Amino acid sequence: MVAICSGLRSYSITAAAHIYPRASSACARAPTTGSRRSISKLSLYSKVMASDHASEGLPSGMDPSMLDEYASQSKLLQEFFKIPSIGKAWIFNSENENTSRAMVSIGQSDLLANKKRNFLLSSHISKSASKSVSFQWSPFPIEMSGVSAVVPSPSGEKLLLVRNAEDDSPTKLEIWGPCQLENEIHIPQSVHGSLYTDGWFEGISWNQEETLIAYVAEEPPQPKPEFNDSGYMKESSSQKDCKSWKGQGDWEEDWGETYSKKRIPALFVANISSGEVRVVKGITRSLSAGQVIWAPSSSYSLVFVAWSDDNGFQETPRKLGIKYCYNRPCALYAAPDPFKEDADKPLTDSNKGDTTAMVKLTAELSSAFFPRFSPDGKYLVFISAKSAVDSGAHNATNSMHKIDWPADGKVEGRFSVDDVVPIIARPQPGGFPGIYCSGLLRFPWLSDGRTMILSSVWGSKEAVLSVNVVSGEVSRVSPQDSDYSWNVLALDNNNILAVSSSLVTPPQMYYGFEASHTDKSCHWDWQEIPSPFPKPSDKVSSLLENHKFSILKIPISNASDELPDGAKLPFEAMFVSCKDSASSPTIVVLHGGPHTVYPSSYSKSLAFLHAQGYNLLVVNYRGSLGFGEEALQSLPGNIGSQDVNDVLTALDFVIKKGLIDASKVAVVGGSHGGFLTTHLIGQAPETFVAAAARNPVCNLSLMVGTTDIPEWCFLEIYGKEGKNCFTESPSADILTQFYQKSPIAHISKVKTPTLFLLGAKDLRVPVSNGLQFARSLKERGVETKTIVFPEDMHGLDKPRSDYESFLNIGVWFKKYTSK
């Protein structure tokens, strides 16, 4: 499960400041013997009184004893925030096969503006016969200020810049040619709203002739009732009138977290010469379109993905949260280009609901997305999350499929869907665990036209894979003996530009050449590309060099006979160790989902934590991606027990090996990781000296009625049966079971000081979940600190929220692990 305002504030609440604001006769009495709770509250009260004078002039909730630590850590964290991130990349071929051009997008957090700044950096690539490569980078990057998306044309001769408006202003599409702006298209809100550039619904595609651009944008708003001093206005006016106002009209569902202002993604095509924009007709409002691409010569020129609204109980109309939710049913469709004469019919009342122009391509599959045509146009290849849709798990092992595209371009009748890569239930030791794909390159093909290059999760690592879509052969392209994570950025004919990093190594670009290829394996040589980015400061580099990381195989303890064999295999945990690991404090790090994974790639937040002398134990418990379908599906129905036991098993593993000090262990997690964090401090109250929870799931009986993914609660509590019993009105018995499986059921045992970091606009795990748990701890005398970010959502990924979150985690853990 688990994201720009200059005046962002944080509300900080400490437990002590809200228990006893003033002394009373009841407080002054000596507690009776055995009244630990009263002693705890008196102790807290005396601390508050003693620190009143010292706290004058300090920000709310600031601990005077930690001021120097707060200042020191805030300075160090800014060093980590200065390190740029690598986003997308594009490579354009030239007439000379030994030269090409590259363009790389990089990002950097701007804390002052509370936004991420994006830049483009260009390079000339020279290749030699000896399989070496040279990058000549431009001296300065170009900032893409106000740009929502950058989309080069297939030839690289044109560039589309999308500028989405933040108010009622028109959306702008800028068409750039060599050294000049060729056209600027202004699209008013009456035509459509902002373009989707989120990476999920997003689909911005040039046709091969580079004359048209297809894209996904918010459909224009539905008319609202208008009123004036005489009441309802039967005839609305487009002119603004100070004597009238618009009402709200009917409420419309949205797609939940991060999509609160989006209702219906629709398809449009723009002519870059004339500036005319046309809607793709025939798509019903019950379908949300996305990921559009152009088809090879065909009367049906557009292929796209569409998600149905019918996600409620017994397929009643209901939009559920879609961010990170691969279990939403979707299919591939084909539709005509609206600029073609045979599709250019005026929209009248008689054909307004007509859907005959749209053809469903994947009628037999419950899921199909990321469509890509092979270079010769013979195959339409796509990814499917049918296992997630059919089981109800929000993410699961993917499969890959293909459709033989008709040579004559006639799209009619049912299409036969062939398997390319099946779902892997139980991988062989060290073997391919299946596809876990969160995106594909716009052009992912090698020159043979049948080999696709993609990034996928492989255990606790990310790997670059090659897939032959004809034979189904899958090979690992990135180094097989590396525990680093690798991701493909772009292809240069048959060569690969990739980025590699680890938990202790910032991202570095590499250029790969295929050295040898047999039916059973392939070998690639990788050359490090001198980085054009500023190196981390000497202090940060020194701190990172003091740490090592390894991936541990954790055996399953007391595996049930009812578990499938794949769920009895060892799971993994990554251990980041400092020089004196056996005596240093350790932080257990837990991912959300639960069906996601913490990869071995670089994270500035985790690097900041281990740079301060902590060991990290990052646990990918059973249910995580990258370990086969049987292991993943063993968790639904067993959350709060199997995952909790896996974390404790991993912790016992490193303790018994003498790798850490068991008396100095803290735990942090977000979303489902926060669910585990708050479960662990209740179920193992003597284990952790401090805890931090980011937007945690603490009470499922409260969450089910307020979240954008209520069916998740049913699935994770009841397993696959939960998909069938999901309802918007759960019975008292169901709510009782939700409560009993929640961390709040163990709250009476908690005594670990706990920090809560919450987003006020979180639709996934609404802020009430964390606040209820924090308040319950406070009334029991447990030390807590709560920070609410009023403008942030589930991910807490606005730069200032991210910064303040991990700064407070660092200071909180230092306070309690140093005792």
Side-chain angles (χ1 to χ4, degrees), residues 399-653:
S399 53
M400 181 182 285
H401 308 268
K402 68 178 180 181
I403 292 173
D404 290 336
W405 197 250
D408 59 6
K410 294 182 179 179
V411 180
E412 54 190 22
R414 283 187 175 269
F415 283 82
S416 175
V417 176
D418 298 321
D419 294 342
V420 176
V421 180
I423 294 169
I424 304 297
R426 183 174 63 254
Q428 297 298 315
F432 173 58
I435 290 179
Y436 303 88
C437 182
S438 59
L440 293 175
L441 297 178
R442 293 184 187 275
F443 188 84
W445 304 96
L446 297 184
S447 62
D448 62 5
R450 61 184 184 179
T451 301
M452 176 181 281
I453 303 296
L454 56 88
S455 303
S456 181
V457 176
W458 189 308
S460 295
K461 298 166 281 192
E462 293 166 311
V464 179
L465 307 179
S466 69
V467 179
N468 186 308
V469 300
V470 177
S471 67
E473 173 194 349
V474 179
S475 299
R476 188 167 170 177
V477 170
S478 51
Q480 301 197 20
D481 57 351
S482 172
D483 284 340
Y484 282 42
S485 280
W486 289 71
N487 279 280
V488 60
L489 291 174
L491 301 184
D492 187 4
N493 288 320
N494 282 332
N495 304 322
I496 300 174
L497 181 65
V499 61
S500 173
S501 68
S502 78
L503 289 169
V504 297
T505 311
Q508 172 63 49
M509 284 189 287
Y510 287 82
Y511 192 88
F513 302 89
E514 186 175 22
S516 62
H517 192 164
T518 66
D519 290 339
K520 294 185 178 180
S521 66
C522 65
H523 176 72
W524 288 69
D525 290 333
W526 293 93
Q527 178 181 328
E528 182 175 332
I529 304 302
S531 175
F533 314 124
K535 291 184 178 181
S537 66
D538 291 342
K539 181 177 182 179
V540 167
S541 297
S542 175
L543 290 170
L544 293 177
E545 289 170 0
N546 287 333
H547 286 74
K548 298 179 180 178
F549 93 99
S550 57
I551 298 178
L552 309 175
K553 299 283 187 181
I554 312 295
I556 303 298
S557 60
N558 303 318
S560 167
D561 292 337
E562 297 179 358
L563 287 174
D565 290 342
K568 297 177 184 177
L569 297 174
F571 62 95
E572 291 181 352
M574 295 177 290
F575 184 59
V576 180
S577 58
C578 51
K579 286 185 176 179
D580 302 316
S581 66
S583 59
S584 300
T586 299
I587 302 173
V588 177
V589 181
L590 304 170
H591 67 71
H595 309 299
T596 58
V597 67
Y598 227 128
S600 62
S601 55
Y602 179 79
S603 159
K604 69 176 182 297
S605 303
L606 296 190
F608 163 70
L609 292 178
H610 69 64
Q612 298 179 76
Y614 291 101
N615 304 311
L616 300 183
L617 183 65
V618 185
V619 184
N620 284 321
Y621 45 85
R622 283 173 293 168
S624 303
L625 302 180
F627 299 91
E629 189 65 4
E630 287 183 354
L632 186 144
Q633 293 291 352
S634 70
L635 184 55
N638 296 304
I639 62 167
S641 53
Q642 178 178 297
D643 44 4
V644 169
N645 289 333
D646 281 356
V647 176
L648 293 175
T649 298
L651 187 56
D652 287 342
F653 183 88

Side-chain angles (χ1 to χ4, degrees), residues 194-245:
S194 296
L195 270 68
Y196 281 75
T197 58
D198 53 81
W200 188 239
F201 286 113
E202 175 185 354
I204 305 174
S205 180
W206 290 80
N207 68 345
Q208 200 60 37
E209 296 76 24
E210 302 185 357
T211 57
L212 301 173
I213 298 174
Y215 57 86
V216 181
E218 180 72 3
E219 76 161 22
Q222 295 295 299
K224 303 287 187 182
E226 289 192 43
F227 305 91
N228 58 18
D229 54 6
S230 299
Y232 173 63
M233 299 170 59
K234 293 183 179 180
E235 295 183 3
S236 62
S237 172
S238 59
Q239 302 294 323
K240 289 188 177 182
D241 184 356
C242 63
K243 295 183 179 181
S244 66
W245 73 94

Side-chain angles (χ1 to χ4, degrees), residues 191-198 201-204 213-222 255 262-270 277-292 302 304-307 319 335 338 358:
V191 176
H192 64 64
S194 296
L195 270 68
Y196 281 75
T197 58
D198 53 81
F201 286 113
E202 175 185 354
I204 305 174
I213 298 174
Y215 57 86
V216 181
E218 180 72 3
E219 76 161 22
Q222 295 295 299
W255 284 107
K262 301 292 183 69
R263 298 296 184 268
I264 298 183
L267 289 188
F268 298 86
V269 177
V277 174
R278 296 186 183 181
V279 65
V280 177
K281 299 168 185 173
I283 304 174
T284 64
R285 296 189 79 246
S286 63
L287 292 177
S288 292
Q291 301 180 15
V292 62
L302 299 170
F304 61 96
V305 183
W307 290 262
K319 286 179 181 173
M358 187 174 65

Side-chain angles (χ1 to χ4, degrees), residues 285-353:
R285 296 189 79 246
S286 63
L287 292 177
S288 292
Q291 301 180 15
V292 62
I293 61 172
W294 290 89
S297 56
S298 169
S299 58
Y300 285 75
S301 303
L302 299 170
V303 169
F304 61 96
V305 183
W307 290 262
S308 170
D309 290 0
D310 300 334
N311 294 301
F313 177 65
Q314 294 183 346
E315 298 186 351
T316 53
R318 167 75 151 95
K319 286 179 181 173
L320 296 170
I322 202 168
K323 184 78 170 181
Y324 310 122
C325 301
Y326 290 79
N327 61 326
R328 305 297 176 230
C330 57
L332 296 185
Y333 293 83
D337 168 13
F339 279 93
K340 285 194 173 182
E341 290 185 2
D342 58 348
D344 189 14
K345 299 180 296 183
L347 188 65
T348 64
D349 291 339
S350 61
N351 66 12
K352 192 171 286 187

